[in-house]
Amino acid sequence: MQNFSHGMQQALTIWLALLAAAIIAFFVMSYMSRRGQGGPSWWSRLRKAIRDPDAKREKLAKAERSAEELQELQRYCAEVAVAAERATAMADRRRNEWEAAQRTQEAAWRAYEESEQDVRRLRRANAFPLTDDDPETRRRHLVRMVNAAHDRGEISASDLADALMHRDGWDPQAHPFAQQLMLQRVIRDRKFRAYQEASEIERHTANAADMAAAAKRSLDDESFDAELRLRKATAVKPAEQSAPSFLTAPAGS
């Protein structure tokens, strides 16, 4: 029994010696590996964290920097979200302006077509033989006709002055049918110019609506990306802060 007990003690001693040698070899290999990579081993970092009084302050400073970065990202997300909302409102307003310009353009074209039909009808009526009447009666008819058209807003003050001064093709001696045809041509041309102006406004509002829609899409994408980065940051930061850096074993150790 004494021999057996003595043998067990020797075996236990040998086993403990081998275990101690393996542990020492592991620490030496870890230290040499970190030295070869230009940085301290995790064991050195653990000892430094225990002995170095600045390690805790460095850890707190790192946590504060991480918190500041997270707050900055949150602020950026909020600003981009507000900008995206404003861009959406602007895009809606520009689209409404474009649709209103389209309706104005279409109404101007319909008014021009109606005036063109009146000109054609009077041109056909003017082709028939005209009756004789007093030239003064024709002049008074012209005055009444153009004044009534101006009161209705169909001709401008400049057109009215041309008619009363017998300029730009206006003839007070012409037959009333011819005078009416002249008036309808002036009205038609004025409506066509109004249609051209409406078309120009429609093009400008269409371009503005396209630009606003593009800005809205860009800010929507930027807001989505910022929100995604914020979600990733809030998911990662607590996990990083829960495990002290000096207890994280280096890769390959």
Side-chain angles (χ1 to χ4, degrees):
M1 290 294 294
Q2 291 178 354
N3 292 335
F4 177 76
S5 175
H6 182 69
M8 288 294 294
Q9 291 178 357
Q10 289 181 345
L12 181 60
T13 302
I14 294 172
W15 183 81
L16 291 174
L18 292 175
L19 179 61
I23 293 174
I24 293 172
F26 172 76
F27 287 145
V28 171
M29 290 177 63
S30 175
Y31 174 77
M32 295 301 294
S33 175
R34 296 300 298 176
R35 288 293 299 272
Q37 296 177 1
S41 64
W42 68 275
W43 177 251
S44 299
R45 287 183 291 166
L46 177 61
R47 289 189 303 169
K48 180 179 179 181
I50 295 174
R51 297 177 181 177
D52 190 357
D54 295 333
K56 186 175 182 180
R57 287 194 295 270
E58 293 178 359
K59 179 182 177 182
L60 292 176
K62 182 179 180 181
E64 290 177 357
R65 289 194 298 269
S66 299
E68 290 177 357
E69 293 175 357
L70 184 60
Q71 290 178 356
E72 181 66 19
L73 183 56
Q74 291 174 340
R75 181 190 63 79
Y76 176 73
C77 287
E79 291 179 353
V80 173
V82 171
E85 291 178 358
R86 292 178 178 175
T88 300
M90 177 61 70
D92 293 340
R93 185 169 63 189
R94 295 303 186 194
R95 182 172 182 83
N96 292 335
E97 291 175 354
W98 175 43
E99 292 176 350
Q102 281 184 314
R103 291 191 294 269
T104 302
Q105 180 192 29
E106 293 171 356
W109 178 253
R110 288 194 298 269
Y112 164 73
E113 286 186 328
E114 293 174 358
S115 182
E116 176 64 20
Q117 292 175 0
D118 292 338
V119 170
R120 293 175 182 174
R121 184 176 62 254
L122 287 172
R123 186 183 297 117
R124 290 192 298 267
N126 196 36
F128 292 96
L130 304 178
T131 59
D132 294 332
D133 52 9
D134 183 14
E136 181 62 23
T137 303
R138 295 183 180 184
R139 188 190 66 79
R140 288 195 299 268
H141 176 269
L142 174 62
V143 172
R144 289 194 303 270
M145 180 181 64
V146 295
N147 275 287
H150 179 261
D151 292 339
R152 292 191 299 268
E154 295 176 342
I155 62 175
S156 65
S158 178
D159 295 330
L160 176 62
D162 289 339
L164 297 178
M165 298 298 294
H166 313 150
R167 297 177 306 199
D168 199 16
W170 288 98
D171 184 5
Q173 304 301 323
H175 191 274
F177 276 154
Q179 294 175 357
Q180 185 69 28
L181 177 60
M182 181 67 183
L183 175 62
Q184 288 300 327
R185 285 174 176 170
V186 172
I187 295 173
R188 177 200 60 187
D189 295 343
R190 189 164 184 260
K191 290 183 177 179
F192 184 72
R193 288 193 298 269
Y195 165 74
Q196 289 178 319
E197 293 175 358
S199 299
E200 186 67 20
I201 294 174
E202 189 274 336
R203 282 192 293 270
H204 285 301
T205 54
N207 292 334
D210 291 340
M211 293 177 62
K216 174 186 177 301
R217 289 192 297 268
S218 178
L219 284 172
D220 285 343
D221 294 340
E222 184 64 23
S223 178
F224 177 80
D225 292 340
E227 183 67 24
L228 186 61
R229 292 198 301 270
L230 179 60
R231 290 183 180 180
K232 289 181 179 179
T234 53
V236 171
K237 292 300 181 183
E240 290 180 351
Q241 295 175 2
S242 62
S245 60
F246 57 82
L247 293 180
T248 305
S253 61

